[in-house]
Every structure is written in structure tokens, then in C-alpha cells.
Amino acid sequence: LRIHATLKAKTPLHVGGHSDRLDLDMPLAVNGRGEFYIPGTSLAGVLRAWMERHLDAVDVDLLKLWGFQQGERGAASRVLVEDAVVTLPAGLSDELWDGVGIDRQWGSAARTIKFDRSILPRDTTFPLDLSVELPPEHEKPFQAAFGHLLQAVKEDGLVLGAAGTRGLGRLSLEGLSIRREDW
């Protein structure tokens, strides 16, 4: 299966990366061309975690679908999730937010723990492109698993990146297309 859609940030979004800037504690992920992007591994992790939490009723072996490593045993994933270059809303750029660390003992702002985080603004979009290999013995369960996942994301959205429990990273799914390729 070739699955393509657009994910749109309904709230600001932070997917972290590395930066040489000394004045920024939590930069955004940037690819080799200097573009903001969402690593395919980040998207794959969120999709796999959703399936692990919600697909008890579907008869699908998630280890055979997503792959695994247990000691010297393992299997490759049958799902390939592409990196996604970000498109910022017209006229906007990334934003710099500051925050403070919380003292866990007192439940208040910790002294001398301030940080800066780079944020992608609301309405940022990026593609969701994935390929799913459907071996004959698992074709129907794998299709069903992705059907449930995509329907849920379309209806309820998805949360990606840092600070999701604080309201960041809420995504909606738009423009879904699924194409079957028979090799």
C-alpha cells in the first residue's frame, strides 16, 4: 500500500533536533538542506504506539508489521515512513517560546531553570507518506490495522512531538489517498 495524506498542526508543534546555536536550548529538527522536517522515525513511533494502544480487537501481529529486535532475533519493519519536510503558513516562521523548569518537590518554578524552545506555528503542514508491504498471509489484518489507524486519525487527530500533554502537537489528517501496488 502507498498511503499519502497531509498532516496539519492544529496547535503549535515541537519536534526536536540539534543545533550549534548556544542561545537556543531546544531547536527544531532540520534536514541536510536546512529545512525544518519531521523525521520518519518520529511519525512511525507515534503511529506504532497508537496501534499498540488501540488494536486489541484486530487480529494483527504488530511485531510482524512493525518489526522487532529481541536479542539476536528480529525482523525488519514492513512499514516505511518517509521524512516529511514542513511547510509553514504563509508569512510565518518558527517561533521562540521560553519556559521554566518545575521543582518537583515544591510544584513551582525551579530557580535558575529557564529554557528556550523553537516552535512550529499552528497551521504548519507536512506530508504523511508511507508504504506498507502486504505479504499474502497477513494482507487482510495489515490492511485492517491501517484502516482503523487512518480512520481514527481522520476523526480524532494525532499528537506528535514534545509537550503533547500541555497542548502542543495536535494534528489533523487531510487529503488521504491510498493506492495499492502489486509488484
Side-chain angles (χ1 to χ4, degrees):
L1 296 178
R2 300 277 187 197
I3 300 169
H4 175 77
T6 298
L7 290 170
K8 183 175 186 176
K10 302 313 276 177
T11 62
L13 169 68
H14 175 85
V15 175
H18 170 59
S19 173
D20 292 331
R21 287 181 52 186
L22 298 177
D23 63 334
L24 181 59
D25 301 309
M26 300 172 79
L28 292 164
V30 176
N31 66 15
R33 293 183 178 147
E35 303 163 316
F36 294 128
Y37 85 114
I38 310 298
T41 53
S42 295
L43 292 167
V46 169
L47 299 175
R48 180 179 183 155
W50 186 94
M51 283 187 178
E52 288 172 349
R53 281 192 313 273
H54 295 93
L55 292 184
D56 301 352
V58 177
D59 184 25
V60 61
D61 186 339
L62 292 177
L63 294 179
K64 288 191 172 121
L65 177 59
W66 288 98
F68 69 97
Q69 172 109 31
Q70 294 173 338
E72 293 186 21
R73 288 190 34 207
S77 176
R78 294 184 179 274
V79 181
L80 173 65
V81 183
E82 300 290 341
D83 291 343
V85 175
V86 165
T87 301
L88 294 168
L92 295 180
S93 64
D94 61 316
E95 303 169 5
L96 185 62
W97 288 13
D98 64 339
V100 294
I102 300 299
D103 182 312
R104 300 294 175 212
Q105 181 179 359
W106 298 102
S108 61
R111 300 181 85 192
T112 70
I113 306 294
K114 179 188 172 300
F115 62 89
D116 297 311
R117 176 189 320 234
S118 191
I119 299 289
L120 296 169
R122 187 175 148 242
D123 293 333
T124 292
T125 60
F126 52 92
L128 173 65
D129 285 309
L130 46 112
S131 302
V132 182
E133 182 184 339
L134 299 171
E137 67 275 15
H138 298 291
E139 181 175 352
K140 287 193 185 336
F142 285 8
Q143 283 180 322
F146 273 93
H148 288 293
L149 168 70
L150 294 168
Q151 185 65 34
V153 173
K154 212 169 167 183
E155 291 174 1
D156 303 327
L158 192 65
V159 177
L160 173 71
T165 58
R166 285 175 262 159
L168 293 184
R170 305 220 181 271
L171 305 174
S172 65
L173 184 97
E174 301 174 350
L176 176 64
S177 95
I178 302 172
R179 188 176 80 239
R180 183 182 172 91
E181 292 181 355
D182 190 358
W183 290 80

